[in-house]
Structures are given as C-alpha cells and as structure tokens.
Amino acid sequence: MASPMRNLLTDPDRYLQSFRLFLERSTEHQSMQEFVERQLPDVIASVGNGKSTINVLSVGGGAGEIDLQILSKIRARYPGVTINNDVIEPSADQLSKYKERVAQASNLENIKFTWHKETAYEYESRMNAEKKTKKWDFIHMIQMLYYVKDVPATIRYFHSLLESQGKLLIILVSGNSGWETLWTKYGSSFPLDDLCSYVSSGALPRMLDAAGLKYQLFELPSHMDITSCFIEGDKEGELLLDFLTETLDFAKTAPPELKRQLVEELKKPGCSESRDGKVFFNNNLCVIVIEP
C-alpha cells in the first residue's frame, strides 16, 4: 500500500507556518547575522573596487531579512555607489513580505530592487532563452540549494555569472549538524517527490573540487529548541517534526515504527543535546564563499 506521507511543500501554508516556527525556535538568523557583522566585510572587500554600480543577485531571497543586512554592509563598504539588487524568489508570500520590509526600511537610498517571482531554474532558463548573460559582483544563495534538481549544475551556472572580482556566497546546513545525522539515516523514508533534496556542506567540497573552483568554508554554530517534539499531540512539536522531515503531518501520517525511531534519534547526541530540561537540535550552518 502506498504511504499516505506527503511532502511538506505540497501545502505551502503549512510549510510557511512550520518555517516561521523554525525561525522562532532556532538561532538560524542570529548566527547568519553574526557572520554578516563579523566576516562578510572581508568577503566583500574587493567586489566593488573601482565601480560606480554594484550588481547583487539574491537567489532564493525569501522575505529579505538577511538580504537587507547584506546590502547594508555592501553600502557601508562602498558609500555613494548605486547598488542594483535583483531577487529570485518563487514564493509570492515571501516576496510580498520582502517588499513590505523594503517599504518600511529607512536606509536604502542608492539601492534599486528588482524582483523575479521564479525559481533559480526558471531564471536560468529565461536568461538562456533571452540570450542574456548579465554579470554580477556578488551572488548569494542562502538555504536554497535543497530546492534545485541539480546542485553542481546550479552552482556552475551562477558561478559563471560572476564578474572578475565577484564572489558567490552559499549558506546551507553543515555536514556536522543534526540534519546530516537525521537525513543520512532516514532521508530515504521521507516523501521528497522531487520537490526538495537533502544536501549539506559535507557534499560541497567534492563538487567544488571536481569543478576546479577555489573556495573558503566558515562553520556557524546554531541550535533549535525541539523540546515540544517529544510531547505527544503538541501542535508546535508536530509543526517542527514536519519541518525536520519535510513531511506534511509527519506525526499523523508516518508509520508508527518510523515515527518512534525518528523521535528516539532526535534525542541522541548525533542530533541534539539536552540542557536545563530542554532538547536543542544541532542546527549548525556552513558558509561557502566561492571565488570567480
């Protein structure tokens, strides 16, 4: 009998609910913000040298929270320079939140925004069809490589769009995270349906070395409070389980034995640590900065 399990992305509202709860319960954005504050200035130190306009491409920009922090650092490094910021984002909900954020921000003079409601693949196909090869000074892909069909090809394509001083910045889950443990062990049991695939920083060096690319890696510590996942029937716990497994209503549709094993796995040191009566999932991230 076919499993009743369905991919979480088949219900965009439930996906967004679970994603927002994940951001509330995790230090994901805080750890990215710390990187933007401390290390990004060095990464972008030469991307705009001698230029009157800097072109930035955000691939999977989401609701723009991290994007705007990145832009403020570029603006601080190159005061007075015009910044063209193009955003590729398939979710109408996320794009509308991004636009609201821009409308409310006060420090965006000299920055021009262009939004593309499409996936990275649709953008690439459209550019190829229109025979366009616009070059970019800085391209970033934050937590989006899980949603592309061919990771090496996607990286190669966007890398090919870099200017001679440009940089491609990728953020995704670390190969040393609980995600790696969980998905290596149980990923084949989840209903991915081609909507999403698991990839971590553990796989990227091999791909980048094979493509002959030069890169740097930065590990970002992060965690998520998953204590509610162990309370039977807890609505927030069920949403977090959905997010962790990319499965719609995992607690209700997963075979009981899979659910039992997975919940046990989440308590183990490979995935989480217990502190002060709470369970914190290892949500470590990795930043990869690729040279032109």
Side-chain angles (χ1 to χ4, degrees):
M1 194 178 84
S3 163
M5 292 165 75
R6 285 167 54 212
N7 188 279
L8 181 56
L9 292 169
T10 58
D11 184 338
D13 289 343
R14 176 96 177 167
Y15 172 79
L16 275 173
Q17 254 187 302
S18 69
F19 176 60
R20 287 186 188 129
L21 183 62
F22 159 72
L23 289 180
E24 272 175 42
R25 291 280 178 275
S26 75
T27 59
E28 168 114 350
H29 273 181
Q30 294 91 310
S31 63
M32 287 185 199
Q33 284 158 0
E34 204 163 298
F35 173 83
V36 168
E37 280 300 317
R38 293 183 178 180
Q39 281 141 319
L40 188 69
D42 287 344
V43 171
I44 58 167
S46 60
V47 298
N49 283 356
K51 298 194 167 216
S52 57
T53 301
I54 295 174
N55 294 316
V56 179
L57 182 62
S58 164
V59 187
E65 187 177 351
I66 303 297
D67 280 25
L68 294 191
Q69 291 170 25
I70 289 172
L71 290 169
S72 80
K73 288 292 170 209
I74 296 173
R75 201 165 148 264
R77 173 69 184 81
Y78 301 100
V81 166
T82 298
I83 299 170
N84 292 322
N85 184 66
D86 279 39
V87 180
I88 301 167
E89 171 54 55
S91 161
D93 180 89
Q94 294 286 77
L95 272 183
S96 112
K97 290 204 161 32
Y98 197 140
K99 290 174 183 176
E100 280 169 31
R101 201 165 248 131
V102 167
Q104 289 159 9
S106 58
N107 59 343
L108 299 177
E109 52 277 13
N110 301 345
I111 303 177
K112 295 174 182 165
F113 289 88
T114 307
W115 284 279
H116 306 277
K117 185 188 172 300
E118 57 194 351
T119 64
Y121 179 70
E122 286 164 350
Y123 175 86
E124 180 181 346
S125 302
R126 182 168 62 80
M127 289 293 134
N128 289 338
E130 294 172 7
K131 299 197 166 25
K132 287 184 180 167
T133 50
K134 181 169 180 180
K135 294 283 187 175
W136 303 89
D137 300 298
F138 188 64
I139 301 174
H140 56 87
M141 309 162 81
I142 297 175
Q143 293 290 49
M144 62 69 66
L145 278 178
Y146 322 112
Y147 307 107
V148 304
K149 293 262 193 301
D150 186 334
V151 173
T154 300
I155 292 173
R156 277 198 305 274
Y157 171 71
F158 285 102
H159 178 263
S160 76
L161 304 183
L162 287 178
E163 289 279 18
S164 59
Q165 296 284 316
K167 294 277 199 303
L168 169 59
L169 179 143
I170 295 170
I171 301 182
L172 76 173
V173 295
S174 165
N176 303 314
S177 67
W179 294 99
E180 182 81 348
T181 306
L182 194 67
W183 279 76
T184 301
K185 199 156 184 181
Y186 294 104
S188 59
S189 304
F190 303 149
L192 291 179
D193 293 347
D194 283 346
L195 289 167
C196 154
S197 59
Y198 176 71
V199 59
S200 76
S201 70
L204 279 201
R206 282 195 305 281
M207 293 179 196
L208 300 176
D209 291 340
L213 299 178
K214 279 175 36 190
Y215 57 91
Q216 287 175 281
L217 300 175
F218 305 84
E219 189 85 5
L220 310 186
S222 174
H223 61 261
M224 166 171 57
D225 183 348
I226 58 167
T227 313
S228 57
C229 290
F230 308 104
I231 303 165
E232 192 64 41
D234 184 282
K235 290 283 175 275
E236 292 195 342
E238 289 181 355
L239 267 176
L240 289 177
L241 281 173
D242 284 11
F243 192 77
L244 285 162
T245 61
E246 282 285 337
T247 303
L248 183 62
D249 285 323
F250 177 83
K252 296 187 175 75
T253 62
E257 184 55 18
L258 174 63
K259 181 184 168 186
R260 186 192 68 73
Q261 287 179 16
L262 182 121
V263 168
E264 278 306 307
E265 192 69 40
L266 281 174
K267 293 176 183 167
K268 292 179 183 173
C271 279
S272 304
E273 63 170 326
S274 298
R275 286 199 313 271
D276 308 322
K278 292 186 171 182
V279 183
F280 293 98
F281 183 76
N282 176 336
N283 184 57
N284 286 6
L285 305 167
C286 185
V287 178
I288 299 103
V289 177
I290 307 176
E291 307 289 326

